[in-house]
Each structure stands twice: as C-alpha cells, then as structure tokens.
Amino acid sequence: MKKLATQILVNALALSAAASLVDGIQLTGEFWPVLVVALIFSLVNTFVRPVLKLLALPFILLTLGLMLLVINALMLLLTDRLTTGLTVDGFGPALLGSIVISVVGLVAGAILDDRKKAS
C-alpha cells in the first residue's frame, strides 16, 4: 500500500512538472484533482502499458527502445481521455510530456531508493 501511495505521489509530481514545462498539457485543479489524475495514470500504466509493451515488442527491439516513448505518450493520451482534470492537445505535447514524466520519475525513484538504502 505504501508503494502504491508513493507511486501516485511521484506520478502527481511528474504530471505537474509536465504540465508546467510542456505547452499543450494542462492540469486543472489544485491538490485532489491532480491526485485523482495521478491515480488513473498509475492504473493505466499498471494494467494497459504491459499489454502494449508485449504487443509492440518487435518494434521496441527494432527501434532500440524508442518505441517506449511512443507507448508512454499513448498512456498519457489515454489518461487524458479517461479524466477531466488532464488535457493534452495532441501527440506532440504527449510525447514531450512523456519524456518529462520519465525523467522526473527516474530522478524521484533514484532519490527514494537512496533514502531506502540510508535507513
């Protein structure tokens, strides 16, 4: 349960960063609506993303992993369709937003791993 809460908070931070840095991505609301969007984004990444990765495995190998950016952008667009608190204006902003979300998630994951090792 703690891991899920941490994942939702990291996704909320990453989505907020993407909305701040990428024109074409908007988050509406303050704290709770962003957490709801992050929860739905986490659920989409947990259940839909592995299926897409499996289906796209030949393309992922062929593009040396660059297809994963496209899959991440599609997950962001799907979250946009499932929620009212997130608006993504097209595939271009979704692709840039997925890069920002990946980088923020990577940095936050590294920080949290360092804290776990220190405790």
Side-chain angles (χ1 to χ4, degrees), residues 6-78:
T6 304
Q7 179 184 8
I8 292 170
L9 289 174
V10 167
N11 280 337
L13 176 69
L15 286 166
S16 297
S20 296
L21 295 173
V22 178
D23 290 335
I25 298 178
Q26 296 86 27
L27 270 174
T28 56
E30 291 295 321
F31 182 72
W32 293 109
V34 173
L35 279 182
V36 170
V37 170
L39 171 68
I40 293 172
F41 185 66
S42 297
L43 291 173
V44 164
N45 279 330
T46 300
F47 295 110
V48 178
R49 188 171 180 235
V51 174
L52 278 180
K53 283 173 68 174
L54 181 65
L55 293 174
L57 186 61
F59 297 110
I60 292 169
L61 295 173
L62 186 66
T63 62
L64 302 174
L66 291 177
M67 184 68 177
L68 291 172
L69 292 174
V70 173
I71 291 173
N72 290 343
L74 292 174
M75 297 303 96
L76 193 58
L77 288 170
L78 180 59

